[in-house]
Amino acid sequence: MAPFDIKGADPLLSGILFQRMQIVETLVEVDATGELQPGLATDWEVSDDGLEWRFTLRSGVQFHDGSQLDAEVARQVLEIARAKPGLLKSVPVERIVAEDAQTLVIALSEPFAALPAYLADYRQQILAPAAFDETGTAQQVIGTGPYRMLRMTPPLSLEVTAFEDYWGPQPEVRQARYQAVSRAEGRALIAESGDADFTYGLDPASRQRLSQSPRVTLAAAATPRTMLLKVNANHPAFQDPAVRRALSLAIDRTAIAQVVLRYPRGASQLFPPMVEGWHDPALPELHQDVAEARALLDAAGWTVGEEGIRHKDGQRLAISLITFSDRPELPLVATVLERQFHAIGIQTRLDITNFSAIPAGHHDGSLDMALFARNLAMVPDPIGNVLSDYAGTPESPGGDWGAMGWFDADFTAELERMAREGYGPTPAGQDPRAQASGVIQRALPVIPIAWYYQNLAISNRLQSAQVDPWERSFGLSELRWAQ
């Protein structure tokens, strides 16, 4: 049981759920530490010039309809994925060739070191040819995973059964039913009643309640997801990085983390410690300093007026902060931020709206600030997310969930270089990923607030349950029934 609605069979719509239910697989997999592992490809290598990648496919793999996986099928599926929105569309692919039944060759127009990580993304799941219609849209979910689809009833439920001809070990749990329940308190009540064996995505109040239940055991793991405040750098006030820094200094991250979220600490930078390389332990921590925040606003010419609200050139420092209730913690945190911003003279109007309002406000320029949770590693190498969120052009900087109105040409060029060449140390011996994190920290096009933990309730009827920190799998095939 989890909060995610089923929107359709195509990977773009609900592919991440099909991956989590282990119906589908990708060429490359990821272990709990974020390291790339063999998936439907057993190994891969790149030419010396970085322009040709060769993937050896696993032999003897059947799809759930009985058809066979080979390199030509994989080629067709990747071509379909490449034609759709997603990370693969940004890769400089020149051609994809099935060299023989088990060898897939991807030729690039320029080096791209992160390609194997991109092939682990759920949108590159390998489906049987019969899954697609003539337009390349998946109408059925016919994968290669340890579970096959029995039935799907969008938007709320699907059922799977163990696939007898799976290439790997057979799971002990032979059947499973997924149920989408949007409200966290509803999921908690169902878990408490014993009607759910595996409950995903608990809020702080639900965790507290279920900690007293004899029916379930709670589990948690840090994830590469960060709660962010997105700031429109085109706003008359927020064009000044000193004002963005004042916003950051107003935030009491410790109180938000410990009191509202029941997490051990707030975010000291964009990437949590689990994202090695991108997290820089030497980076000065984000912290609260209300006096310094006020001084920065004073120096920027924003003076305190009536009701303690600042103004400059006849304009009040009044902004709109939008968020959504799909994640129940977001409106609570937004309410806290409203008070903390008022303490430095910023009037904040909360707008609890739909998830889609954030990208819509980004594109039409109406967004002032938005609060949301961003998975920073949709693929195990975060370069894809960083490129989509913080690179671009002066006319179109950042993506829907990243920078708005902020562009740094040198930073963009360095990100593109890292994507091509990898993360060898700079001439000064520094990790370029850590340097990139420092650029974001100093400019603050987004303001980190908290690092997420994934929280689950697991029925005592089960054992061997594990939390995937990369949020790729519910781990059904690893579950065992308690004796």
Side-chain angles (χ1 to χ4, degrees), residues 75-94:
R75 183 197 69 78
Q76 293 174 15
V77 174
L78 292 181
E79 290 286 13
I80 289 171
R82 193 157 70 96
K84 297 178 180 180
L87 293 175
L88 194 60
K89 194 176 184 68
S90 66
V91 177
V93 175
E94 194 167 82

Tab-separated table of all heavy atoms in Angstrom, residues 75-94:
chain	number	residue	atom	x	y	z
A	75	ARG	N	16.781	-2.820	-28.449
A	75	ARG	CA	16.997	-1.652	-29.308
A	75	ARG	C	15.680	-0.941	-29.609
A	75	ARG	O	15.585	0.291	-29.504
A	75	ARG	CB	17.655	-2.086	-30.626
A	75	ARG	CG	17.996	-0.921	-31.552
A	75	ARG	CD	18.248	-1.388	-32.984
A	75	ARG	NE	17.023	-1.856	-33.623
A	75	ARG	CZ	16.086	-1.045	-34.127
A	75	ARG	NH1	16.234	0.278	-34.052
A	75	ARG	NH2	15.015	-1.557	-34.698
A	76	GLN	N	14.666	-1.713	-29.962
A	76	GLN	CA	13.376	-1.118	-30.293
A	76	GLN	C	12.792	-0.369	-29.091
A	76	GLN	O	12.260	0.741	-29.239
A	76	GLN	CB	12.408	-2.209	-30.753
A	76	GLN	CG	12.778	-2.860	-32.072
A	76	GLN	CD	11.870	-4.027	-32.404
A	76	GLN	OE1	10.801	-4.193	-31.815
A	76	GLN	NE2	12.291	-4.864	-33.352
A	77	VAL	N	12.904	-0.967	-27.912
A	77	VAL	CA	12.336	-0.337	-26.718
A	77	VAL	C	13.078	0.955	-26.388
A	77	VAL	O	12.458	1.975	-26.037
A	77	VAL	CB	12.362	-1.315	-25.529
A	77	VAL	CG1	11.918	-0.618	-24.245
A	77	VAL	CG2	11.468	-2.520	-25.806
A	78	LEU	N	14.391	0.948	-26.491
A	78	LEU	CA	15.164	2.162	-26.198
A	78	LEU	C	14.894	3.255	-27.229
A	78	LEU	O	14.884	4.444	-26.888
A	78	LEU	CB	16.651	1.843	-26.125
A	78	LEU	CG	17.086	0.966	-24.948
A	78	LEU	CD1	18.596	0.753	-24.974
A	78	LEU	CD2	16.664	1.570	-23.607
A	79	GLU	N	14.659	2.876	-28.469
A	79	GLU	CA	14.304	3.877	-29.476
A	79	GLU	C	12.951	4.513	-29.144
A	79	GLU	O	12.768	5.722	-29.320
A	79	GLU	CB	14.267	3.246	-30.870
A	79	GLU	CG	15.624	2.840	-31.426
A	79	GLU	CD	16.479	4.025	-31.876
A	79	GLU	OE1	16.155	5.176	-31.544
A	79	GLU	OE2	17.504	3.768	-32.552
A	80	ILE	N	12.017	3.717	-28.659
A	80	ILE	CA	10.723	4.257	-28.241
A	80	ILE	C	10.921	5.217	-27.068
A	80	ILE	O	10.365	6.323	-27.050
A	80	ILE	CB	9.760	3.106	-27.859
A	80	ILE	CG1	9.330	2.340	-29.117
A	80	ILE	CG2	8.533	3.654	-27.127
A	80	ILE	CD1	8.553	1.072	-28.822
A	81	ALA	N	11.724	4.808	-26.084
A	81	ALA	CA	11.971	5.663	-24.915
A	81	ALA	C	12.662	6.958	-25.320
A	81	ALA	O	12.367	8.034	-24.786
A	81	ALA	CB	12.811	4.911	-23.888
A	82	ARG	N	13.579	6.856	-26.286
A	82	ARG	CA	14.349	8.031	-26.706
A	82	ARG	C	13.476	9.066	-27.411
A	82	ARG	O	13.802	10.251	-27.427
A	82	ARG	CB	15.492	7.579	-27.621
A	82	ARG	CG	16.537	8.624	-27.885
A	82	ARG	CD	17.837	7.980	-28.296
A	82	ARG	NE	17.782	7.370	-29.605
A	82	ARG	CZ	18.192	7.954	-30.729
A	82	ARG	NH1	18.658	9.196	-30.683
A	82	ARG	NH2	18.148	7.321	-31.882
A	83	ALA	N	12.364	8.618	-27.968
A	83	ALA	CA	11.467	9.535	-28.668
A	83	ALA	C	10.507	10.259	-27.729
A	83	ALA	O	9.783	11.159	-28.164
A	83	ALA	CB	10.672	8.767	-29.720
A	84	LYS	N	10.513	9.887	-26.450
A	84	LYS	CA	9.579	10.462	-25.486
A	84	LYS	C	10.319	11.386	-24.515
A	84	LYS	O	11.541	11.337	-24.411
A	84	LYS	CB	8.886	9.337	-24.692
A	84	LYS	CG	8.032	8.415	-25.542
A	84	LYS	CD	7.429	7.313	-24.686
A	84	LYS	CE	6.578	6.372	-25.522
A	84	LYS	NZ	5.989	5.297	-24.698
A	85	PRO	N	9.591	12.229	-23.780
A	85	PRO	CA	10.238	13.048	-22.762
A	85	PRO	C	10.939	12.174	-21.722
A	85	PRO	O	10.451	11.100	-21.373
A	85	PRO	CB	9.064	13.816	-22.136
A	85	PRO	CG	7.992	13.787	-23.159
A	85	PRO	CD	8.139	12.488	-23.878
A	86	GLY	N	12.065	12.625	-21.262
A	86	GLY	CA	12.813	11.859	-20.267
A	86	GLY	C	14.297	12.083	-20.416
A	86	GLY	O	14.775	12.738	-21.355
A	87	LEU	N	15.059	11.505	-19.495
A	87	LEU	CA	16.493	11.731	-19.472
A	87	LEU	C	17.185	11.203	-20.718
A	87	LEU	O	18.144	11.801	-21.210
A	87	LEU	CB	17.094	11.075	-18.222
A	87	LEU	CG	16.695	11.700	-16.873
A	87	LEU	CD1	17.261	10.873	-15.733
A	87	LEU	CD2	17.203	13.140	-16.785
A	88	LEU	N	16.733	10.062	-21.252
A	88	LEU	CA	17.425	9.477	-22.391
A	88	LEU	C	17.378	10.387	-23.612
A	88	LEU	O	18.279	10.354	-24.455
A	88	LEU	CB	16.813	8.114	-22.723
A	88	LEU	CG	17.629	7.234	-23.672
A	88	LEU	CD1	19.001	6.927	-23.090
A	88	LEU	CD2	16.877	5.941	-23.984
A	89	LYS	N	16.352	11.203	-23.697
A	89	LYS	CA	16.220	12.119	-24.831
A	89	LYS	C	17.370	13.120	-24.881
A	89	LYS	O	17.728	13.627	-25.951
A	89	LYS	CB	14.882	12.856	-24.732
A	89	LYS	CG	14.458	13.596	-25.995
A	89	LYS	CD	13.087	14.205	-25.813
A	89	LYS	CE	12.603	14.878	-27.089
A	89	LYS	NZ	12.324	13.917	-28.159
A	90	SER	N	17.975	13.404	-23.720
A	90	SER	CA	19.063	14.385	-23.666
A	90	SER	C	20.436	13.779	-23.935
A	90	SER	O	21.420	14.506	-24.021
A	90	SER	CB	19.074	15.060	-22.283
A	90	SER	OG	19.402	14.118	-21.261
A	91	VAL	N	20.515	12.456	-24.037
A	91	VAL	CA	21.800	11.798	-24.280
A	91	VAL	C	22.157	11.920	-25.760
A	91	VAL	O	21.295	11.739	-26.625
A	91	VAL	CB	21.720	10.310	-23.867
A	91	VAL	CG1	23.039	9.600	-24.176
A	91	VAL	CG2	21.411	10.199	-22.371
A	92	PRO	N	23.422	12.233	-26.100
A	92	PRO	CA	23.807	12.427	-27.513
A	92	PRO	C	23.935	11.104	-28.263
A	92	PRO	O	25.018	10.738	-28.748
A	92	PRO	CB	25.150	13.157	-27.403
A	92	PRO	CG	25.735	12.685	-26.105
A	92	PRO	CD	24.553	12.524	-25.178
A	93	VAL	N	22.829	10.378	-28.379
A	93	VAL	CA	22.827	9.090	-29.078
A	93	VAL	C	22.814	9.333	-30.586
A	93	VAL	O	21.975	10.074	-31.097
A	93	VAL	CB	21.612	8.241	-28.660
A	93	VAL	CG1	21.565	6.949	-29.485
A	93	VAL	CG2	21.669	7.916	-27.173
A	94	GLU	N	23.725	8.677	-31.285
A	94	GLU	CA	23.764	8.758	-32.743
A	94	GLU	C	22.986	7.600	-33.368
A	94	GLU	O	22.231	7.771	-34.315
A	94	GLU	CB	25.211	8.754	-33.221
A	94	GLU	CG	25.396	9.156	-34.666
A	94	GLU	CD	26.862	9.424	-34.974
A	94	GLU	OE1	27.605	8.444	-35.218
A	94	GLU	OE2	27.262	10.603	-34.962
